[in-house]
Each structure stands twice: as structure tokens, then as C-alpha cells.
Amino acid sequence: MLMSDEEFLRLYKDQYDAALAEAKGYVDDPASLRREVDQQAAQADAARLVAPRPDQFTYRMMNYRGFVRFPERLKNYILAKNEARSEESLALPYIMDIEPVSRCNFRCIMCANPKREGKPKSDLTLDGFKAFMDQNPQFVEVKIQGLGEPLMNRDLFGMIEHAIARDTWVRTTVNGSLLHVNDNHKRLIDSGIGEVQTSFDGATKEVFEHIRAGADFDQIVKNLTALNAYVATKDRDYTRMWVLLQSNNRHQLLDFIPLAARMGFRRMSYSVVITGWGDEDRFSDLKVRPFSDEEEGRILELAKKEGVDVSVWNCTDRFTLDSPANLCCWPFGRAFIGSDLSILPCGLISHLDNVQLGNALEFREAWNSPAYRAFRKKHLEGRIPDFCRECYNLGQA
């Protein structure tokens, strides 16, 4: 939080006191939160596909413990929820993407990594990660993943454990290829991680290995089955299968659900958002239409039959210019930290070297630097940078 304590309490004291009391109540009585979460789940609308959500009990309990332990975190969170978007942001981001490694052992056809020029960025060190986290106690959630395969960084588990020790929710996305090495499938779960997502973009060996070049379909199926068998011995779901729909696999729409069930997944999410990584024309041939109502009904029916909780990440409308509230949220409340500790506006342009906004170990100073303020001003005035235009529906301006 970049607002003084005195000013914050003048504006938000009652809200802060109530939120802190609520957090302490749940931390002292976790069973009450469990009852509330279970009741909300029972009342959820099962007739439509919804956006994916983390395990609500574990996620919220982690949040509440962090709010009690770090009062600055709660103050910053309240400020972020109330602050109007402007060039200067007095609230620091409470969610952050941190890239442990930009190297990858796959060359997926829809990824920016194979298109990059020059050498990959250096791997993030554990010391660098710890320093960044310790300087930013306001983080409620971090995603430890970027353009590379996280398990290629041998310090990944130390990073996860350090964040968890600070009561920060952690998720990552892996490609599944290294889960059998050194018991990684067990070490990931035992690290205390909130959620492990795995990208799985083909329901058959032929389609999978075409999309995810360099992959071994059979080995990955074996690895993910072992991962979920280990999760089955635990007290909750940790894993989610993530399917990026594209022209190469759209015909397999319904095949992914029984495949997920066979591998032991109890949660699966479709994404219908293919991006050009800052280039509107790139990968246009891979983009596909959203679900029809008929398809959605068939998905829900099959998901119920197979016992898989299916959700969809469908951001085809993206952002508009009609109101500051409808602008992209990243310039105002989130950022991407590259494995070399560079600050970038978001993960979709994390491969670009000409849009860096400073060094992560000076994040608080960089967040309202002239460069960041100018970046926000462009969005507020509708002068969307070229590398951001793909995410906007500019026809609604």
C-alpha cells in the first residue's frame, strides 16, 4: 500500500476493522468457513458452465490467515478493491505472476517461446524469489509459471514453500513431462501448493504430439495418472486439467472429459482464448468459436456422468474502452515478473524485450514510475498500445 496509514484509516477504518474481525473469526473457527463454502456450493447453478475457481475453503482460509498475519496485506487489498483506476495507483498488486524459468522442453505450436529470438532469459534464483516476496507482503496469490516449464527450475519447490510459508496462495501450470523425475508428482503436492494445472491439448496421441511438439503422449498420460493417484490419498483436489481449444483439437471437444476421468482428474477447464502474444494476426488460423448452447448442454451431461467438474475460461469479449472499469486490469492491479526479474505488463507479452517497466527488486518504486504512469494513461485515454490491442474489443468503444 502506497497510501499513508493515517489516510487509509480515515477513509476505510470501519471496513478494515470489520474485515479483520471476519478473518480472525474464520481462522479461529475453520469449521464455520467449511459450512459456508459447502452451502454455497450446494446452491450453485449447475445448469451452466462457469469460470474455474480454486478450492474455496483452502483458498479463502489461506487469504484470511494472511490478512491476520500481515495487516498491510489486508489494508492494501481493501484499497485495491475501492480505488478508482487512474495513472497513479496507491494500491500495490495483490496478485502476481512470477516466471521461474523461460526455457521449455516443448515447442508448442501456439506458444510465443518458439518464436523468440536470442537466448532465453536466465532462470530465477531462489534468493531472487525470496527477496521479491519478502519486499511485497501484500500478495494474496502468486502464479509461479511463465513461458517455460516450471519443473526445469530446480528451485521451484523452494519457491512454492517460501510463498506458502507467507500464507500466499500458489498455483502453477506444468506440461506433465517431468512429473516422474525425482518423484516430482509427489513433491509438488507435498509442497503445500494450492493448485497444479496441467496443459493437455490433444485427446489422442496424434493430435497431442502435433500441438505440443516434443511431447510423449503416453508418458504424460502415465505421469498425470500417477499425480492424481497421489492426490487421491489427500484431503482435497489439487489438480486441474487445462485444455486450450484450437482448430487442431476442436473436433475432440467431448473426448477430453472421459480422458480426464481416466487419468483421475476431478476438475477440468476449457479455454477458448488463443492469443497472438501481442500480435493480432498471429495464430488467427488456430482460433475457434465459443461453445453453442447445445454443446454446453452435452458437456454438462457428460461431465456429470464422468464425475468431472468442468468449467470454461471464455474471455472472447475481452476488454472495452467505454469505462475505466472495463479496461484491462493488468496495468492497474497486476504484473508479470520475468525469470530475469524484469517487470512486464502481463504474461501475454512476456517474450517482448522492449516493454519492460523496471526491476522487480525495486517494484514499489517502479509501480508508479513515469513509464508505468504513461502506460496506464494510454489505456485511460483509449490509446491502446499495439501489443495490447488484441485483448480489446475496440468496436465497442
Side-chain angles (χ1 to χ4, degrees), residues 145-201:
Q145 184 249 334
L147 281 181
E149 165 54 34
L151 285 168
M152 293 183 74
N153 188 321
R154 65 183 62 191
D155 288 329
L156 175 67
F157 300 108
M159 295 177 191
I160 296 171
E161 290 163 2
H162 184 75
I164 295 296
R166 297 177 62 79
D167 292 311
T168 300
W169 175 268
V170 178
R171 60 188 174 102
T172 192
T173 301
V174 298
N175 63 27
S177 65
L178 301 176
L179 290 170
H180 64 296
V181 178
N182 298 324
D183 280 337
N184 281 340
H185 67 293
K186 294 181 179 180
R187 295 177 68 196
L188 259 180
I189 303 305
D190 292 341
S191 69
I193 198 166
E195 183 168 301
V196 178
Q197 301 171 348
T198 183
S199 300
F200 204 96
D201 302 323

Side-chain angles (χ1 to χ4, degrees), residues 11 59 104 110 125-126 130 170 192 217 251 266 302 376:
L11 295 171
Y59 182 80
C104 191
M110 65 289 185
T125 66
L126 182 56
K130 287 181 175 180
V170 178
F217 176 83
H251 63 288
R266 292 186 292 222
L302 185 57
R376 294 190 191 106

Side-chain angles (χ1 to χ4, degrees), residues 122-388:
S122 58
D123 292 356
L124 180 61
T125 66
L126 182 56
D127 286 344
F129 179 86
K130 287 181 175 180
F132 178 64
M133 291 295 295
D134 293 349
Q135 290 174 10
N136 290 277
Q138 78 276 3
F139 293 146
V140 169
E141 173 186 341
V142 295
K143 179 184 180 186
I144 306 181
Q145 184 249 334
L147 281 181
E149 165 54 34
L151 285 168
M152 293 183 74
N153 188 321
R154 65 183 62 191
D155 288 329
L156 175 67
F157 300 108
M159 295 177 191
I160 296 171
E161 290 163 2
H162 184 75
I164 295 296
R166 297 177 62 79
D167 292 311
T168 300
W169 175 268
V170 178
R171 60 188 174 102
T172 192
T173 301
V174 298
N175 63 27
S177 65
L178 301 176
L179 290 170
H180 64 296
V181 178
N182 298 324
D183 280 337
N184 281 340
H185 67 293
K186 294 181 179 180
R187 295 177 68 196
L188 259 180
I189 303 305
D190 292 341
S191 69
I193 198 166
E195 183 168 301
V196 178
Q197 301 171 348
T198 183
S199 300
F200 204 96
D201 302 323
T204 60
K205 182 178 179 69
E206 179 183 16
V207 172
F208 185 93
E209 293 182 359
H210 169 68
I211 294 173
R212 303 188 73 75
D216 181 336
F217 176 83
D218 297 320
Q219 181 65 62
I220 290 175
V221 168
K222 183 178 179 180
N223 289 353
L224 296 178
T225 302
L227 172 68
N228 287 314
Y230 188 64
V231 169
T233 69
K234 304 300 179 179
D235 60 346
R236 66 174 178 89
D237 291 335
Y238 284 80
T239 59
R240 181 185 302 277
M241 181 168 133
W242 194 274
V243 178
L244 180 60
L245 288 176
Q246 52 191 275
S247 57
N248 292 290
N249 64 18
R250 187 63 166 75
H251 63 288
Q252 297 183 324
L253 178 68
L254 298 178
D255 298 334
F256 286 104
I257 299 172
L259 176 59
R262 288 198 298 273
M263 289 190 289
F265 283 101
R266 292 186 292 222
R267 299 182 299 175
M268 193 197 94
S269 298
Y270 292 108
S271 174
V272 293
V273 182
I274 286 270
T275 74
W277 303 90
D279 182 346
E280 293 182 85
D281 297 325
R282 183 186 293 172
F283 303 139
S284 58
D285 59 323
L286 298 181
K287 297 179 181 180
V288 296
R289 67 186 187 281
F291 303 136
S292 65
D293 289 342
E294 179 185 358
E295 287 175 320
E296 184 170 339
R298 294 170 66 190
I299 288 170
L300 288 167
E301 181 180 357
L302 185 57
K304 183 177 180 180
K305 176 184 175 183
E306 296 288 351
V308 179
D309 177 10
V310 177
S311 53
V312 60
W313 184 249
N314 185 2
C315 296
T316 51
D317 291 335
R318 310 300 278 174
F319 308 112
T320 61
L321 304 179
D322 54 340
S323 164
N326 293 330
L327 296 171
C328 173
C329 59
W330 284 76
F332 304 94
R334 195 168 176 176
F336 180 97
I337 305 303
S339 61
D340 59 355
L341 289 174
S342 57
I343 304 171
L344 294 115
C346 80
L348 292 181
I349 54 176
S350 58
H351 61 296
L352 301 178
D353 294 325
N354 60 344
V355 290
Q356 296 182 13
L357 293 168
N359 183 278
L361 297 185
E362 299 172 348
F363 187 82
R364 291 189 172 222
E365 295 76 16
W367 185 237
N368 279 314
S369 66
Y372 237 126
R373 292 165 76 107
F375 180 58
R376 294 190 191 106
K377 184 177 182 180
K378 286 183 178 180
H379 285 263
L380 290 165
E381 294 180 348
R383 298 181 293 111
I384 307 301
D386 289 345
F387 51 76
C388 294

Side-chain angles (χ1 to χ4, degrees), residues 77-143:
Y77 183 81
I78 291 171
L79 186 59
K81 291 293 186 179
N82 285 276
E83 181 189 19
R85 291 177 173 177
S86 63
E87 291 178 41
E88 182 181 16
S89 180
L90 295 178
L92 292 160
Y94 60 86
I95 300 178
M96 185 65 65
D97 284 33
I98 306 174
E99 179 181 62
V101 58
S102 65
R103 298 176 294 121
C104 191
N105 53 351
F106 290 178
R107 298 183 64 82
C108 300
I109 61 175
M110 65 289 185
C111 182
N113 233 349
K115 310 292 184 182
R116 296 175 76 164
E117 298 179 358
K119 295 181 180 180
K121 299 173 183 176
S122 58
D123 292 356
L124 180 61
T125 66
L126 182 56
D127 286 344
F129 179 86
K130 287 181 175 180
F132 178 64
M133 291 295 295
D134 293 349
Q135 290 174 10
N136 290 277
Q138 78 276 3
F139 293 146
V140 169
E141 173 186 341
V142 295
K143 179 184 180 186

